Amino acid sequence: MTKPVRIYLLMALTLLGCASSGKSSDGAARVAMEAGKQYAQSGLYDQAITRFKEAIAEDDELAAAYMNLGVCYIQKGRDYYATAREVLELAAKQDDGEKDPLVWYNLTVIYTLTDVYDKALDALDRALGFGFNDYDALRTDKDLRELRKREQFRAVLERHNVFL
């Protein structure tokens, strides 16, 4: 995934998560989320990770914090993919994450990066089913290059009337 697409996802999910969290949308979790977003936008992933972890400590049901944390781990590189996958799977288990198309899109990314194509295709199917519509990302995201080579990729897209 290109850096601008990841940052776009970080920003969108941060806003979504802060707006939809009922526990502490005006509290410490929101402050930590905003700080994490700023660090991530600047490419300071270690600092962003610290802040997203603080947000989770304040509100452990905030899918956006898990989501952004997972994306930061992806950005840090291959050595962090296992952690990214674990955190993104936690995001999908949160009430506000289980139907979030961005959570499922980023699960598609991490599964593709770790060569788990059956799960990547399932996650893509869910992302599209929940309303993911950034078709440029599907077309151009470098992290999805290997997934796009698979015949099943087109089948999932066609099932959702998406033609790239």
Side-chain angles (χ1 to χ4, degrees):
M1 185 185 311
T2 62
K3 190 176 263 187
V5 171
R6 284 196 183 121
I7 297 304
Y8 159 75
L9 292 176
L10 282 168
M11 291 181 348
L13 194 55
T14 298
L15 294 174
L16 174 67
C18 288
S20 65
S21 173
K23 285 186 179 178
S24 60
S25 62
D26 292 324
R30 181 182 178 99
V31 170
M33 286 289 293
E34 289 301 316
K37 180 180 77 170
Q38 294 299 316
Y39 283 126
Q41 287 174 330
S42 300
L44 300 170
Y45 300 112
D46 289 330
Q47 292 90 334
I49 286 168
T50 298
R51 297 313 300 253
F52 292 134
K53 285 180 177 180
E54 289 173 8
I56 291 167
E58 291 295 324
D59 184 351
D60 67 351
E61 294 179 2
L62 189 60
Y66 289 103
M67 176 70 216
N68 286 309
L69 180 60
V71 171
C72 285
Y73 282 125
I74 291 171
Q75 288 282 16
K76 286 181 62 73
R78 183 171 303 281
D79 291 342
Y80 296 89
Y81 286 174
T83 304
R85 179 177 170 175
E86 182 181 318
V87 172
L88 290 168
E89 287 172 345
L90 284 172
K93 292 178 182 176
Q94 304 306 310
D95 287 342
D96 60 335
E98 63 187 358
K99 293 185 179 181
D100 187 322
L102 295 177
V103 168
W104 290 102
Y105 175 79
N106 281 287
L107 276 166
T108 302
V109 169
I110 194 60
Y111 290 140
T112 301
L113 290 171
T114 55
D115 303 325
V116 186
Y117 300 113
D118 56 334
K119 286 191 175 194
L121 291 163
D122 180 58
L124 176 60
D125 188 47
R126 289 177 185 229
L128 292 167
F130 294 134
F132 184 81
N133 62 4
D134 185 351
Y135 306 130
D136 285 337
L138 294 175
R139 187 175 17 261
T140 63
D141 189 335
K142 290 185 217 177
D143 292 340
L144 297 181
R145 185 177 316 137
E146 292 301 315
L147 191 64
R148 283 192 294 271
K149 293 177 183 178
R150 291 172 161 50
E151 190 174 306
Q152 302 95 323
F153 178 78
R154 292 272 176 224
V156 170
L157 295 179
E158 288 173 9
R159 190 168 34 256
H160 293 278
N161 296 315
V162 176
F163 303 95
L164 301 180

